[in-house]
């Protein structure tokens, strides 16, 4: 048993963060250049667990949490799952009932249908903004009929990567709030010196640690074909959703007036958290 | 103790109800300040002409001078009728006007009060600065006295309705080198004066309502000082004595309607069979009811003792956080339709996003808890 990343995983993570910090800063979350997709593909993130690269899900979850922290396109999740469990090539959007998220530049999407992963085709239509300002969506007249993927692991994989995104999102909100609490001064000291704020930051860190730990455990359960893997991935997704939403809200509160604005970045993680909460959510019955 | 109203009060309630029913604007109040301006002015004018403007202002200043119970009845009926928020007139009617009534010279009152009541002059509140939010005494905007003028330099932020306002209640530092609460003055600033630049700021809900205001050698007459030079802190605080806790009643009725609407939605969409949703709705309904009880209690205290007690902070905090819980329930019932929100939409998602202000603006939830702990419970002060 060792639930810490090894040197190789750490190195991959560092390379991931470096690239994301340079190419996908949060202040460009809603106006990303078209070339970003090619850049991500070149980084290999869509094929980490395919035969060609052969990395495990633990490594993949580690890197996807970083993608989630930078509010990377959600279609990286569907694309990676499609690459692993089907022979679809190129970008695959994320299907959510009749909504196709990040729907541009492809006519194929992947999502869960009654708990099973499936692919759908749709007619490219002009994408519209969504609540999550970094994700455009196309709303179809009706939920398309999916072609279900054979392997049941595909759904687990999909939920695991979504959970990883939510973990990163929760951490992004926590980090943003904590940095602000160190820097912003009122009454002659940093607001983080007031217990009310300090404790909110601490709670954000607790939630982040809780869901990140469960994410690692769940990823290893998938790699090790653990009999309880469904439960562990379900728990990871539930905890990560909760952390992302609660940290997202606390982040705005800690920022005060500026947190209420469109120009500051504080609202972005919360809005992303609201999107992720609908992607492969964990129903209560799945955990009992 | 009793919860009944007298026959005269019932009759007054009927009057309010009748007038509101026939006069409420058919169209919805626009979201953004510039689009809402005409709407707000027209509605205020209507209220004024029918004698409903400034119900809590003394009659000699053109108000209605209603008793506190009558104010409550009016506000209850106002909310029940879903009458529009007074919007751009809010600061003038509830803040600037009352401050003038308590502190201003006769000339200042005679000039400004009628304009406010009629909706002819829009006021905004320039208190907060980039460096002075929760810590209001950290104000740095400067007013240099030159002869019979004040020359203003600095900036204010989060000023609601600044870009449509005619006047601003501006608190600035008029004494060079003064610290904290000392050396501040409360002045009337003409928003059209040369040297003022207003930059509207979009909220995360898409709404454009507040703004940043920059002052570059703005000259205003020294006569515009209200309540004495260097006395700004006391003047700013005096407005609070005008607040009788009645404002909460409108929120209470509104919140209670929102909860009832959500219960109806949950029933219509079959979501009420989800035990967690039913449980949370039941809790909200009980809490909203308690806000009315708290408010009535608080108002009765004011009647008896002449001023609001520190309990007002409790109602404020509870109402603010309750409002956010209601808004969260609202989006919870929407499911994935939440994702279809776009800037410009005026719906439950907008309410949710805008509602974050309830625990930030005008004394954050953290500051409110400090006030309850320190001023009400006598716990040691932390600052
Ligand atoms: C929608 C909206 C409308 C507004 N309209 C106006 C207006 O018309 N005119 C005007 O003058 N202002 C207005 N404001 C400003 C408002 O009053 C300030 O936002 C508020 O006072 C908080 O200040 P701040 O934004 O600088 O946050 P900060 O004071 O920087 O607070 C940041 C965080 O630190 C916390 N904090 C600060 N000090 C302490 C402490 N001692 N202990 C514990 N926690 C602390 C706060 O609770 C908050 O969570 C408006 C704000 C909003 C959001």
């Amino acid at each position: 048993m060792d639930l810490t990343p090894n040197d190789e995983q750490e190195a991959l993570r560092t390379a991931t963060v470096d690239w994301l910090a340079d190419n996908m800063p949060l202040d460009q979350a809603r106006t990303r250049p078209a070339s970003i997709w090619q850049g991500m593909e070149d980084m290999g993130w869509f094929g980490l667990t395919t035969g060609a690269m052969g990395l495990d899900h633990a490594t993949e979850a580690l890197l996807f949490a970083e993608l989630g922290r930078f509010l990377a396109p959600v279609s990286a999740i569907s694309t990676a799952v499609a690459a692993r469990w089907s022979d679809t090539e190129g970008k695959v959007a994320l299907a959510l009932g009749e909504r196709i998220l990040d729907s541009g530049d492809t006519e194929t999407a992947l999502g869960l249908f009654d708990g099973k992963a499936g692919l759908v085709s749709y007619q490219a239509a002009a994408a519209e903004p969504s609540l999550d300002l970094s994700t455009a969506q196309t709303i179809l007249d009706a939920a398309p009929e999916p072609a279900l993927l054979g392997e049941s692991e595909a759904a687990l994989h999909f939920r695991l990567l979504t959970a990883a995104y939510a973990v990163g999102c929760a951490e992004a909100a926590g980090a943003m709030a904590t940095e602000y609490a160190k820097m912003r001064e009122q009454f002659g000291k940093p607001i983080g010196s007031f217990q009310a704020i300090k404790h909110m930051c601490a709670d954000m860190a607790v939630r982040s640690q809780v869901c990140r730990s469960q994410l690692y455990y769940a990823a290893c359960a998938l790699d090790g074909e653990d009999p309880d893997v469904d439960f562990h991935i379900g728990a990871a997704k539930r905890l990560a959703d909760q952390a992302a939403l609660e940290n997202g809200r606390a982040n705005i509160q800690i920022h005060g007036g500026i947190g209420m604005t469109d120009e500051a970045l504080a609202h972005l993680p919360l809005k992303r958290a609201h999107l992720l909460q609908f992607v492969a959510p964990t129903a209560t019955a799945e955990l009992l | 103790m009793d919860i009944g109203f007298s026959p005269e009060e019932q009759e007054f309630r009927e009057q309010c109800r009748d007038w509101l029913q026939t006069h409420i604007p058919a169209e919805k109040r626009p979201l953004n300040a510039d689009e809402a301006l005409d709407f707000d002015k027209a509605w205020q004018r209507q209220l004024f002409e029918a004698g409903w403007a400034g119900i809590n202002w003394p009659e000699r200043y053109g108000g209605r001078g209603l008793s506190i119970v009558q104010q409550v009845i009016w506000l209850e009926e106002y909310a029940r009728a879903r009458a529009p928020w007074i919007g751009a007139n809010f600061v003038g009617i509830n803040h600037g006007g009352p401050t003038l009534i308590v502190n201003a010279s006769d000339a200042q009152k005679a000039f400004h009060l009628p304009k406010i009541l009629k909706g002819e002059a829009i006021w905004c509140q320039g208190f907060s600065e980039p460096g002075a939010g929760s810590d209001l005494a950290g104000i740095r905007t400067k007013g240099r006295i030159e002869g019979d003028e004040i020359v203003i330099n600095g900036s204010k932020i989060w000023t609601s309705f600044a870009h449509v306002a005619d006047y601003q209640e501006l608190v600035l530092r008029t004494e060079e080198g003064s610290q904290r609460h000392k050396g501040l003055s409360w002045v009337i600033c003409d928003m059209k004066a040369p040297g003022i630049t207003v930059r509207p700021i979009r909220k995360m809900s898409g709404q454009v309502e507040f703004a940043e205001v920059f002052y570059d050698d703005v000259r205003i007459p020294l006569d515009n000082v209200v309540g004495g030079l260097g006395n700004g802190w006391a003047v700013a605080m005096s407005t609070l004595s005008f607040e009788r806790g009645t404002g909460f009643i409108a929120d209470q009725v509104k919140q209670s309607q929102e909860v009832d609407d959500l219960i109806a939605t949950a029933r219509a969409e079959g979501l009420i069979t989800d035990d967690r949703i039913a449980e949370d709705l039941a809790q909200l309904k009980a809490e909203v009811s308690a806000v009315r009880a708290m408010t009535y209690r608080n108002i009765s205290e004011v009647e008896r003792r002449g001023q609001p007690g520190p309990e007002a902070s409790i109602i404020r905090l509870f109402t603010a956080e309750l409002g956010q819980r209601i808004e969260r329930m609202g989006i919870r019932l929407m499911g994935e339709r939440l994702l279809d929100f776009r800037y410009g939409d005026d719906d439950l998602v907008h309410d949710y996003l805008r509602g974050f202000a309830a625990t930030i603006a005008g004394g954050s939830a953290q500051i409110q808890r400090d006030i309850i702990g320190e001023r009400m419970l006598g716990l040691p002060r932390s600052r």
Side-chain angles (χ1 to χ4, degrees), chain B residues 231-269:
Chain B
N231 206 20
W233 188 262
V235 174
M237 294 299 129
S238 71
T239 318
L240 300 176
S241 70
F242 213 81
E243 164 61 56
R244 321 290 272 181
T246 47
F248 297 120
I249 207 69
D251 289 342
Q252 192 278 332
V253 176
K254 209 170 136 276
Q255 291 185 339
S256 130
Q257 284 167 341
E258 283 162 3
V259 171
D260 286 344
D261 289 352
L262 292 179
I263 292 171
T265 305
R267 280 194 210 287
E269 301 192 0

Side-chain angles (χ1 to χ4, degrees), chain A residues 184 186-187 191 194 196-197 253-258 260, chain B residues 125-128 133-134 157-160 203 210 357 360-364 366-367 370 383:
Chain A
R184 168 70 173 169
Q186 285 290 274
F187 304 98
I191 57 170
F194 304 121
I197 298 299
Q253 179 66 29
I254 288 176
H255 275 77
I258 201 151
M260 284 286 303
Chain B
Q125 181 188 52
F127 285 17
S128 306
S134 298
I157 198 165
W158 320 129
T159 316
S160 300
K203 292 187 202 164
F210 57 27
I360 295 171
S364 71
Q366 286 72 36
I367 297 294
D370 273 0
R383 302 178 251 121

Side-chain angles (χ1 to χ4, degrees), chain B residues 39-55:
Chain B
F39 180 101
D40 291 347
K41 285 185 156 185
W43 175 233
Q44 184 62 33
R45 180 88 208 175
Q46 264 200 304
L47 288 168
F48 172 77
E49 278 167 3
W52 296 115
I55 53 162

Side-chain angles (χ1 to χ4, degrees), chain A residues 99 128 130-131 133 137 139 184 186-187 249 253 256-258 260-263 267 270-271 274 278, chain B residues 130-131 133-135 158 199 202-204 328 335-336 339-343 352 356-357 359-360 366 383:
Chain A
R99 289 175 183 74
E128 298 170 30
S130 79
L131 172 70
L133 299 164
Q137 65 175 356
I139 306 179
R184 168 70 173 169
Q186 285 290 274
F187 304 98
R249 287 196 268 259
Q253 179 66 29
I258 201 151
M260 284 286 303
T261 66
D262 169 73
E263 62 200 65
H267 61 128
L270 176 66
K271 289 175 174 176
H274 276 299
F278 295 113
Chain B
S134 298
D135 183 14
W158 320 129
R199 180 182 74 96
R202 187 182 294 281
K203 292 187 202 164
M204 62 158 164
R328 289 215 289 274
E336 292 165 9
L339 297 181
D340 305 340
F341 176 78
R342 287 193 251 167
Y343 284 175
Y352 164 69
F356 277 80
T359 50
I360 295 171
Q366 286 72 36
R383 302 178 251 121

Side-chain angles (χ1 to χ4, degrees), chain B residues 64-358:
Chain B
R64 185 77 180 264
L66 292 184
S67 77
I68 200 155
V69 174
Q70 286 176 317
Q71 291 176 37
V72 166
I73 292 172
W74 164 256
L75 291 169
E76 279 183 345
E77 292 308 318
Y78 190 92
R80 193 162 291 144
R82 300 179 193 247
W85 182 45
I86 60 168
N89 292 292
F90 181 84
V91 170
I93 291 290
N94 290 331
H95 208 270
T99 309
L100 295 176
I101 288 173
V102 178
N103 303 283
S105 68
D106 289 343
Q108 288 167 331
K109 287 182 203 171
F111 182 80
H112 288 289
L113 294 178
K115 288 193 188 350
I116 293 175
L117 279 180
K118 292 180 197 162
E120 285 170 5
I122 299 298
W123 280 59
C124 62
Q125 181 188 52
F127 285 17
S128 306
E129 295 182 3
S134 298
D135 183 14
L136 192 57
I139 284 175
R140 275 204 289 259
T141 295
K142 277 200 180 69
R144 193 175 69 240
I145 319 283
E146 272 186 24
D148 55 2
E149 285 185 324
I150 305 184
V151 185
I152 306 170
N153 282 285
S155 68
K156 294 282 171 181
I157 198 165
W158 320 129
T159 316
S160 300
F161 299 102
H163 54 299
V164 299
D166 302 295
Y167 297 98
Q168 181 177 49
E169 40 167 2
L170 177 62
V171 176
L172 38 61
R173 205 162 281 289
T174 42
E175 199 179 299
E176 179 84 41
S178 63
Q179 295 288 323
R180 311 291 302 159
H181 309 85
K182 302 204 180 80
L184 298 170
S185 296
W186 194 106
V187 305
I188 302 167
C189 179
D190 181 349
M191 288 299 283
K192 308 287 184 298
I196 292 187
T197 317
V198 181
R199 180 182 74 96
I201 303 174
R202 187 182 294 281
K203 292 187 202 164
M204 62 158 164
S205 59
Q207 186 183 41
V208 184
E209 197 179 69
F210 57 27
E212 187 164 15
V213 184
F214 303 93
Y215 311 81
D216 182 12
D217 280 335
V218 176
R219 290 174 177 271
I220 60 164
L222 192 53
D223 279 348
N224 283 14
V225 174
V226 172
L229 205 59
N231 206 20
W233 188 262
V235 174
M237 294 299 129
S238 71
T239 318
L240 300 176
S241 70
F242 213 81
E243 164 61 56
R244 321 290 272 181
T246 47
F248 297 120
I249 207 69
D251 289 342
Q252 192 278 332
V253 176
K254 209 170 136 276
Q255 291 185 339
S256 130
Q257 284 167 341
E258 283 162 3
V259 171
D260 286 344
D261 289 352
L262 292 179
I263 292 171
T265 305
R267 280 194 210 287
E269 301 192 0
L271 297 164
I272 201 92
T273 55
D274 180 330
D275 284 347
R276 288 165 311 160
I277 287 182
E279 172 138 3
D280 289 352
L281 284 168
Q283 175 76 21
L284 291 176
K285 195 160 171 159
E287 289 176 343
V288 161
S289 165
V291 173
R292 179 168 62 189
M294 277 199 283
T295 306
Y296 278 14
R297 223 179 117 201
N298 182 249
I299 287 166
S300 315
E301 282 282 320
V302 174
E303 280 279 78
R304 218 169 255 243
R305 291 185 320 191
Q307 54 177 10
E311 304 81 38
S313 287
I314 292 195
I315 309 183
R316 239 191 102 160
L317 177 64
F318 188 74
T319 308
E321 294 186 343
L322 172 58
Q324 293 179 339
R325 286 195 289 279
I326 295 170
E327 284 149 5
R328 289 215 289 274
M329 175 56 82
I331 60 164
R332 192 165 148 203
L333 297 181
M334 290 177 81
E336 292 165 9
R337 279 169 299 160
L338 169 61
L339 297 181
D340 305 340
F341 176 78
R342 287 193 251 167
Y343 284 175
D345 291 351
D346 183 5
D347 58 9
L348 293 176
V349 187
H350 183 269
D351 293 348
Y352 164 69
L353 294 171
R354 186 176 199 273
F356 277 80

Side-chain angles (χ1 to χ4, degrees), chain A residues 14-202:
Chain A
T14 308
T16 299
V17 173
D18 288 348
W19 191 89
L20 291 169
D22 288 346
N23 296 282
M24 226 188 260
L26 273 192
D27 57 9
Q28 289 168 19
R30 52 180 112 174
T31 51
R32 290 194 174 123
S35 61
I36 205 79
W37 190 260
Q38 187 59 49
M40 291 177 71
E41 188 160 353
D42 294 344
M43 289 299 287
W45 291 320
F46 308 142
L48 296 170
T49 52
T50 57
M53 288 182 77
L55 292 170
D56 57 14
H57 288 297
T59 309
E60 187 187 32
L62 193 68
L63 303 192
F64 270 65
E66 297 310 326
L67 290 170
R69 186 195 306 279
F70 286 84
L71 309 186
V74 290
S75 53
I77 298 169
S78 35
T79 302
V81 174
R84 172 72 181 80
W85 306 100
S86 76
D87 40 24
T88 320
E89 281 177 16
K91 178 178 172 179
V92 175
L94 200 154
L96 189 67
E98 68 268 31
R99 289 175 183 74
I100 307 290
L101 306 180
D102 200 1
S103 52
D105 302 321
T106 171
E107 295 191 336
T108 307
L110 179 144
L112 292 194
F113 300 86
D114 286 331
K116 298 189 178 68
L119 286 164
V120 298
S121 312
Y122 62 95
Q123 293 264 297
E128 298 170 30
S130 79
L131 172 70
D132 172 10
L133 299 164
S134 52
T135 306
Q137 65 175 356
T138 298
I139 306 179
L140 306 175
D141 294 335
E145 272 306 307
L148 296 180
L149 301 182
E151 327 280 341
S152 62
E153 289 101 319
L156 290 171
H157 186 198
F158 181 74
R159 184 180 271 170
L160 178 76
L161 296 188
T162 312
Y165 257 48
V167 167
C169 180
E171 290 178 348
M176 211 186 271
T178 305
E179 260 168 56
Y180 190 73
K182 289 178 186 169
M183 185 196 86
R184 168 70 173 169
E185 291 191 5
Q186 285 290 274
F187 304 98
K189 28 182 141 147
I191 57 170
S193 66
F194 304 121
Q195 279 190 346
I197 298 299
K198 191 184 293 169
H199 291 184
M200 280 171 85
C201 292

